[in-house]
Amino acid sequence: METQLNCLVQEIRKCTACAHKLPLGPRPVLHVSPHARLLIAGQAPGTRVHETGISFNDASGDRLRGWLGMSRDVFYDSNRVAILPMALCYPGVLPKGGDRPPPPECANLWRERILALLPNLRLTLLVGSYAQNYVLGKGKVYERTEHFQDFLPQYFPLPHPSWRTGAWERKTPMFQEKIIPALRHEVARALAD
């Protein structure tokens, strides 16, 4: 299975299906291994991730790792944690600011093929609206996050860890009091031997 996954990742790294839509050109960023037990499903790489080729290598990644109580060493150990966004390349910025939505071609082409080669996954973190809507159907991010237990043991919905989430975090004390401890517990359970 590892050989199959490595071949698929090599194929993905050559993908140009959305090249005409990508302002910085294609540079697929994903971190996967058939041994991974935790999957982080996010939106798409930002500019810093595009530049470095390292998922969540920015302020949102720092915030997400803080929520998880997880070191960079564990977070980037693809034998434990797989990181597979809904789109693998940076989609660009909307005219009024904010990132463009992930192009659907990416998930349609690659997502299920990759997931089929990750047989040891125990928990998927659905980070942000695009990942949640793809897996769970249309819904409200913060509402799903507040009712995370409805999606366990397979999924744990989270808001995108951007600076915009800070205001919601401050006015939602249950996030730090109940959701974060439950998140850390479920992640520890997924990574346990």
Side-chain angles (χ1 to χ4, degrees), residues 114-133:
I114 296 166
L115 291 176
L117 297 173
L118 304 180
N120 294 303
L121 294 178
R122 296 177 177 172
L123 178 66
T124 298
L125 306 182
L126 299 173
V127 181
S129 63
Y130 295 103
Q132 289 182 23
N133 291 342

Side-chain angles (χ1 to χ4, degrees), residues 26-127:
R27 183 177 190 188
V29 179
L30 69 160
H31 307 274
V32 292
S33 162
H35 307 289
R37 294 181 177 171
L38 175 68
L39 173 63
I40 299 174
Q43 178 174 319
T47 53
R48 181 132 188 251
V49 172
H50 177 86
E51 291 166 3
T52 64
I54 302 169
S55 296
F56 286 104
N57 190 28
D58 52 19
S60 66
D62 293 340
R63 179 173 280 188
L64 179 59
R65 284 185 291 279
W67 291 348
L68 299 173
M70 187 179 285
S71 70
R72 287 179 70 90
D73 289 343
V74 172
F75 190 84
Y76 291 115
D77 178 354
S78 59
N79 284 317
R80 298 173 82 186
V81 179
I83 304 172
L84 180 62
M86 298 312 299
L88 304 175
C89 297
Y90 171 63
V93 178
L94 292 167
K96 293 185 179 182
D99 290 339
R100 287 189 179 280
E105 295 92 336
C106 199
N108 294 338
L109 280 171
W110 305 115
R111 189 161 195 80
E112 297 310 316
R113 291 174 63 193
I114 296 166
L115 291 176
L117 297 173
L118 304 180
N120 294 303
L121 294 178
R122 296 177 177 172
L123 178 66
T124 298
L125 306 182
L126 299 173
V127 181

